Amino acid sequence: MVVKTAALATLLAVTASAWTVPSNLQTFYNNVKNGGCKSYAGGKSNLNDGQGHSGFGFCTDTANVVYLTGKNSLGDMDIDCDGASNCGGLSGDWQAGTSFDDILVSKKYGVKTLDASIHQFSVLGTCNLNLEGLISPLALVAVVCNNQLFYSVWGDTNGCDDNNFTGEASISLAQLCFPNEGLNGNKGHTAHDVLYLAFTGSDAVVGPSNANWKTKSASDFQNSLKTFGDSILTKKFGSTVPPTNPGNPGSGTCEWVGHCAGATCKTNDDCDGDLECKSGVCGGSSGGTTPPPATCSWAGHCAGASCKSHDDCSDDLTCKNGKCAT
């Protein structure tokens, strides 16, 4: 539930490590901010940002992710205080639960609802745009804000009193992103420069053991998301950040989103660069004889991506037989 008009005193900004934005994710951020989207979830591309601006939607152009975008812009960041603590009990527009509390209880997460002051969560979907067919509840959401990377979970949705507003996050995530802006329930971040990158697939769900759900510290919760966040970013998006999970071997830069180290495969052709398909998973190459892929600066449109014309392919790649290739 978005909190836009309630009187809410400024909370002390929490502190946590800000993660470096990987170079390929930064390139993707720049392209999205300066480009457009062809396919929107539910065909809806005229959602509202809560500031009187329309033309926003959740883009499905890129494999393995769904992200909020506008016309040559990204999302803003309004404030959500729903859940356990009501941001210190000061919000006048508050609900005592979040959207996926039934899962938190049934899957034994150790908490009955999220706490916006502790848990970093993103608010995705609107009153009449349900994203559950594309994203699993409590899925990992990478958030690029203020030239930093933070991890969050898909923890709440907007209600029907919000006129289909988009671009919203828990108070703890907002204050991590913009600690010097004095954000509170009555003041959000209004610039359209925030990338909410939600990962698809059941393996992207942040499970009970993937984060410290019982912590009382916002910084501890963010730090606890790092290992799982890095592994999913690497697996799903080809992150150039070395994975912190030793079970997900890296191979350096990965240009073919969805086919990086840790991705499922049937043959070596399903894996990026010189990675090999070992036991159904893309991993390090033993021979290293496969030449590296062509440079690709447009994630989701690299070598191997489906295409209809050359314009669907990144850089110097061309569309051959429905696939981007050199």
Side-chain angles (χ1 to χ4, degrees):
M1 173 71 68
V2 68
V3 179
K4 293 186 177 292
T5 59
L8 178 63
T10 302
L11 301 176
L12 293 176
V14 293
T15 58
S17 299
W19 318 124
T20 301
V21 181
S23 59
N24 65 330
L25 182 55
Q26 184 64 58
T27 298
F28 181 80
Y29 174 98
N30 295 339
N31 286 339
V32 171
K33 190 173 183 180
N34 297 315
C37 175
K38 297 179 181 178
S39 301
Y40 291 90
K44 298 181 184 298
S45 59
N46 203 35
L47 303 178
N48 196 292
D49 69 344
Q51 303 178 51
H53 306 114
S54 60
F56 295 86
F58 293 91
C59 190
T60 59
D61 281 357
T62 303
N64 301 319
V65 295
V66 175
Y67 60 90
L68 177 63
T69 183
K71 298 175 181 177
N72 296 329
S73 69
L74 296 166
D76 60 347
M77 187 172 281
D78 299 315
I79 309 302
D80 190 312
C81 286
D82 288 348
S85 70
N86 189 12
C87 292
L90 299 173
S91 173
D93 184 7
W94 167 75
Q95 293 183 4
T98 47
S99 293
F100 308 120
D101 292 350
D102 57 333
I103 298 176
L104 294 173
V105 174
S106 65
K107 299 295 184 181
K108 300 181 179 179
Y109 276 71
V111 293
K112 294 182 179 180
T113 187
L114 298 178
D115 186 329
S117 299
I118 295 174
H119 302 114
Q120 289 83 58
F121 61 82
S122 297
V123 181
L124 306 177
T126 68
C127 170
N128 50 32
L129 179 60
N130 187 343
L131 296 178
E132 287 189 48
L134 295 172
I135 315 166
S136 297
L138 302 176
L140 182 79
V141 183
V143 178
V144 179
C145 54
N146 201 16
N147 300 313
Q148 304 167 102
L149 167 66
F150 292 102
Y151 292 117
S152 70
V153 301
W154 179 27
D156 209 0
T157 58
N158 266 313
C160 292
D161 59 341
D162 297 324
N163 192 28
N164 285 326
F165 290 154
T166 62
E168 185 180 359
S170 65
I171 184 69
S172 61
L173 177 56
Q175 292 184 336
L176 285 175
C177 283
F178 305 104
N180 299 319
E181 293 190 11
L183 302 184
N184 55 59
N186 196 41
K187 179 184 178 183
H189 175 78
T190 58
H192 295 93
D193 56 5
V194 179
L195 174 64
Y196 300 90
L197 190 72
F199 296 95
T200 61
S202 59
D203 56 340
V205 173
V206 185
S209 63
N210 297 134
N212 185 2
W213 297 93
K214 295 182 180 180
T215 183
K216 302 300 182 183
S217 164
S219 60
D220 284 350
F221 185 73
Q222 178 60 209
N223 292 334
S224 75
L225 284 172
K226 181 69 161 59
T227 296
F228 183 75
D230 282 353
S231 68
I232 293 299
L233 185 60
T234 300
K235 178 179 179 180
K236 299 280 190 176
F237 203 73
S239 171
T240 52
V241 168
T244 56
N245 181 358
N248 183 18
S251 63
T253 301
C254 174
E255 303 290 352
W256 191 9
V257 174
H259 302 265
C260 305
T264 57
C265 59
K266 293 182 178 179
T267 70
N268 290 346
D269 292 336
D270 295 329
C271 301
D272 180 77
D274 61 355
L275 298 179
E276 294 180 350
C277 187
K278 300 177 179 179
S279 301
V281 177
C282 294
S285 170
S286 57
T289 58
T290 303
T295 299
C296 176
S297 60
W298 189 11
H301 301 263
C302 305
S306 60
C307 60
K308 293 182 179 180
S309 70
H310 298 328
D311 292 337
D312 295 330
C313 301
S314 179
D315 303 292
D316 296 329
L317 299 177
T318 58
C319 188
K320 298 178 180 179
N321 299 320
K323 297 288 185 181
C324 294
T326 56

